[in-house]
Structure formats: structure tokens, C-alpha cells
Amino acid sequence: MTERMVTSGTARLWSEDHGDPGAPPVLLISGDCQSALFWPDEVVTALVGGGFHVIRYDHRDTGRSTHRDFAANPYTFDDLTADAIAVLDAWDVGAAHVVAFSMGAGLAQLLAVDHPHRMLSQTLICTHALGIDFADNVARALAGEPSRDGLPLPESRVFEALELHAGPSADRSAELDRRVEGWRIMAGDAFDPAEFRRREERVIDHTGTLHQSIAHGYVTEGIATRGADLARITAPTLVVQAPLDPISPPPHGRHLAESIPGAALVEIPGMGHALTGAALDALLPAILAHLRR
């Protein structure tokens, strides 16, 4: 494993790689407000064992990457997409398989549309299509209003329970309790609190602070108007639908897969908006099969 700091505009991004640099590259893109360590080591180990060179990185405002006040230093989804390109450039990767989760899978869609030569394939996990106005959907869910597009809204209980705008807890144990409870709400079946407590322990150690940035929640530009562009995607695409996902509930995955030419859809039974150990047992073989195709 090698660590590398990457410059993207005015941001510095922490990244690391695993496996043989000569093997086919896989770029892991985390969800919103999640560092590289969102991806459990089981994912990295399986991909390296499958013959791939794995790169993961901290989004800006997460982990060991640049942290700034968003109001004074705003950015867009296009900027976050440029961050992914900067990571590929820093690791001398011309094109990669992209495996992405939630907001990261939105960035992957932008990569596939705007930088098709940088993508070998994409795996889009627990997300919605370009063209979906997620910020408006959240507002509608909290207000008890119906969806504009006929697709289900996120479940308001998620945002109410997580108290997205609350600061960090007073001590490490309380902060871990808060984060684990947040994952419990999102994770679906077979949730193991000890598993997620261990993961969040590592995230806090990696970041060096109890504070968990919510900056990505303020990013609104770059996705909601791009729906028609999905028809131009040529990268082989696997869409993963989690039937118990409270953020992008079914049939968001099917809608996304039907919007991308030739995309395949797989549903992972019992999965919510999290990478539980139980979900990985079914998810990892599906990802590896897609990458090998």
C-alpha cells in the first residue's frame, strides 16, 4: 500500500493504492461526506485478490484531504468529478474501472458522460440517475410533499434521525454511538453494530477529529439538469439496487439502469444504504463478474 497526496485545483486529496500497479485499475469513489475508509477492507482485499489495482481517496472535506468552510469556498459536483480525474492523473492511470456508492455514483455518471475515455466500466451502487433533483426531493420529503418525477422520495426519518446539521458529540464514545445509530437506520437487514463501530473508529483515527463534515450536503450544482446525457454513456454499466435503501428506494436503480444503454441491474436482497458484511457477500461476486466482463 502506498499513500499519495493529490492536488486538484486548490484542494489537496489524500489517496492510497493496493495491489499490483500493472493490474487493471479500479477507482473507488465514496458517498457524500465519506472518506476513503467508507470502503471496507474486505472490498479492497477482494478486488486485489481478483487481480485488480485498487485506488481509493478522501473526498475534499473528508478524511485527510483539505477541509474548508463551504460557504467561503463553495464547489460543485463538476469540481468533485474533477477531483476523481486528478486522482487518476496522480496515479498515472489513463482509464479505470469505477466502483462508486451513492453521491460517488453520481460523480461516476458525470465521469462516464464528460470523460468517457477515462472509464473502462462503472458500477453504480445505491444511487439515483442524473436528472433527479435530490436536494428538492429531500425538501419535499421533509415537508410531506409528493415527488415531482413519480419516483419515490428519500425517507424523511433518515434526515430527521441523523440530525444532519448537528455538531460532533462531546466525546469519542458518544460520537461513535451517534454514527452507529445513523448506520442502523440506513443499513437494512443483518446490521452488526460492532462492525460499524470498528469502521467508524478507523475513520475517526484516519481523520484525526470527531467532527464529521456535512459540506457535501450543500453541493447542488451539476447533476439535476443532466438526465438526458445518460443516453450517451458507452461504458459498460452495472447498477446495484438495494431493496431497503431509504435514500434511493426502488425503483430508482431500475430507472437508472433503463436510462443507460446496455446497463445491467442487480438487486442485493436485504441491502440498505450501507455496505454491511452480509450485503458484501452477495455484492462482491457481482462486482467482480462485471469487472471481468
Side-chain angles (χ1 to χ4, degrees), residues 3-16 27 55-58 60 64-66 82-92:
E3 298 181 12
R4 187 168 295 175
M5 293 301 296
V6 176
T7 299
S8 179
T10 60
R12 296 270 288 164
L13 310 172
W14 179 90
S15 65
E16 68 173 8
L27 179 68
I55 300 167
R56 58 182 174 177
Y57 70 100
D58 292 339
R60 59 178 74 191
R64 297 178 183 175
S65 293
T66 298
D83 289 349
I85 293 292
V87 172
L88 293 179
D89 289 344
W91 288 95
D92 297 320

Side-chain angles (χ1 to χ4, degrees), residues 253-287:
R254 181 168 298 281
H255 169 74
L256 174 57
E258 291 175 348
S259 300
I260 298 175
L265 176 70
V266 63
E267 184 172 286
I268 305 300
M271 185 176 180
H273 200 82
L275 298 178
T276 64
L280 289 177
D281 287 343
L283 178 61
L284 286 172
I287 293 174

Side-chain angles (χ1 to χ4, degrees), residues 94-293:
H97 299 283
V98 175
V99 178
F101 187 93
S102 192
M103 181 199 78
L107 303 182
Q109 293 171 61
L110 290 175
L111 278 170
V113 169
D114 294 335
H115 308 275
H117 61 291
R118 306 304 300 267
M119 181 175 282
L120 299 174
S121 75
Q122 60 176 347
T123 300
L124 309 174
I125 308 168
C126 294
T127 196
H128 54 271
L130 297 183
I132 300 296
D133 190 337
F134 184 71
D136 181 67
N137 281 353
V138 171
R140 286 177 167 275
L142 291 173
E145 298 175 356
S147 166
R148 290 182 188 272
D149 51 34
L151 289 166
L153 298 172
E155 295 181 21
S156 59
R157 65 183 177 91
V158 173
F159 304 101
E160 294 165 351
L162 293 182
E163 298 178 347
L164 289 181
H165 298 286
S169 305
D171 60 72
R172 184 183 179 97
S173 179
E175 176 64 14
L176 286 166
D177 289 343
R178 184 184 71 84
R179 295 189 188 192
V180 170
E181 183 57 29
W183 284 119
R184 183 194 303 276
I185 292 168
M186 293 193 289
D189 290 346
F191 175 74
D192 180 356
E195 173 185 36
F196 279 82
R197 194 175 188 88
R198 287 192 299 271
R199 292 186 192 176
E200 289 299 332
E201 286 267 16
R202 291 189 62 205
V203 169
I204 289 173
D205 290 342
H206 174 69
T207 307
T209 176
L210 296 182
H211 178 68
Q212 190 173 33
S213 173
I214 58 170
H216 297 161
Y218 299 117
V219 184
T220 58
E221 298 177 38
I223 285 183
T225 60
R226 302 293 302 274
D229 293 333
L230 292 173
R232 297 195 286 111
I233 290 179
T234 57
T237 300
L238 174 67
V239 177
V240 177
Q241 174 73 74
L244 302 182
D245 186 346
I247 303 294
S248 297
H252 273 281
R254 181 168 298 281
H255 169 74
L256 174 57
E258 291 175 348
S259 300
I260 298 175
L265 176 70
V266 63
E267 184 172 286
I268 305 300
M271 185 176 180
H273 200 82
L275 298 178
T276 64
L280 289 177
D281 287 343
L283 178 61
L284 286 172
I287 293 174
L288 284 167
H290 175 62
L291 298 184
R292 288 168 178 153
R293 281 196 296 270

